[in-house]
Amino acid sequence: GAGVSQTPSNKVTEKGKYVELRCDPISGHTALYWYRQSLGQGPEFLIYFQGTGAADDSGLPNDRFFAVRPEGSVSTLKIQRTERGDSAVYLCASSLTVTSGGTGELFFGEGSRLTVL
Amino acid sequence: QQQVKQSPQSLIVQKGGISIINCAYENTAFDYFPWYQQFPGKGPALLIAIRPDVSEKKEGRFTISFNKSAKQFSLHIMDSQPGDSATYFCAASGNNFNKFYFGSGTKLNVKP
């Protein structure tokens, strides 16, 4: 498809388990973002990738959260030792960079809803 | 500390009316101010955006008003329609688009 694809769309796990969430950005978009959206709240920044490298990971809440983008396309958000407070919708967005003619528009996927029991 | 403050939290408007949502920011380094629209179960989608060098931008029924000195901006939806019922988020970013700060959202309900 032409849009940002996120899998799984829903994930239910038990406290303490490990979770991986995948994002497949729009082809050609070198900028990739992860955001977390809690119920009734706006998206909260987690991490920004420029190509393969994490240009800004200042939003990752603690060392249980980690994200990779090894080939500059697909990204995986990894959460270790999940806690109930991690329950949220995890949104991925991609965009063109400024140098590639980007205007700042973020293209979001539909999100992965994580529920930690 | 919330970088972008948005109000109201919810809004009910009659069909054909004007919907107004307000946002305020503190960081003068912000250089780009978009509004996103989100329907239930979907990701946010860009509606309209403005840079601080203009005071107003209009696209169809949607208008952003920007007040640089007051560090405030607002979204106006003219002739509101039931199909506009969604949650709206304001946001702000620096000119490198590395990080976007979103408001807490306004749930708009347009009654037929």
Side-chain angles (χ1 to χ4, degrees), chain B residues 24-50:
Chain B
Y25 65 98
E26 285 299 324
N27 190 342
T28 55
F30 288 150
D31 191 56
Y32 175 71
F33 301 88
W35 284 90
Y36 280 80
Q37 180 188 55
Q38 185 175 31
F39 292 103
K42 303 294 185 182
L46 180 67
L47 194 61
I48 187 173
I50 198 169

Side-chain angles (χ1 to χ4, degrees), chain A residues 4-6 89-92 108-113, chain B residues 38 41-43:
Chain A
V4 176
S5 177
Q6 291 189 246
V89 175
Y90 289 81
L91 293 167
C92 176
F108 282 91
E110 294 192 343
S112 292
R113 179 177 297 277
Chain B
Q38 185 175 31
K42 303 294 185 182

Side-chain angles (χ1 to χ4, degrees), chain A residues 33 35 37 58 106 110, chain B residues 36 38 42 97-100:
Chain A
Y33 309 76
Y35 279 81
Q37 187 173 26
S58 61
L106 299 182
E110 294 192 343
Chain B
Y36 280 80
Q38 185 175 31
K42 303 294 185 182
F97 308 140
N98 281 7
K99 183 188 289 186
F100 288 76

Side-chain angles (χ1 to χ4, degrees), chain A residues 33 35 37 40-45 48 50 55-56 58-59 91 95-98 102-111 113, chain B residues 2 9 32 34 36 38 41-47 49 51 87 89-90 92-93 95-105:
Chain A
Y33 309 76
Y35 279 81
Q37 187 173 26
Q41 298 298 315
E44 175 190 9
F45 173 80
Y48 163 68
Q50 174 61 270
D56 187 338
S58 61
L91 293 167
S95 72
L96 288 170
T97 59
V98 172
T103 58
E105 179 174 1
L106 299 182
F107 295 83
F108 282 91
E110 294 192 343
R113 179 177 297 277
Chain B
Q2 199 173 8
Q9 187 176 353
Y32 175 71
Y36 280 80
Q38 185 175 31
K42 303 294 185 182
L46 180 67
L47 194 61
R51 295 273 196 172
T87 301
F89 296 97
C90 61
S93 170
N95 61 8
N96 58 8
F97 308 140
N98 281 7
K99 183 188 289 186
F100 288 76
Y101 296 91
F102 285 81
S104 54

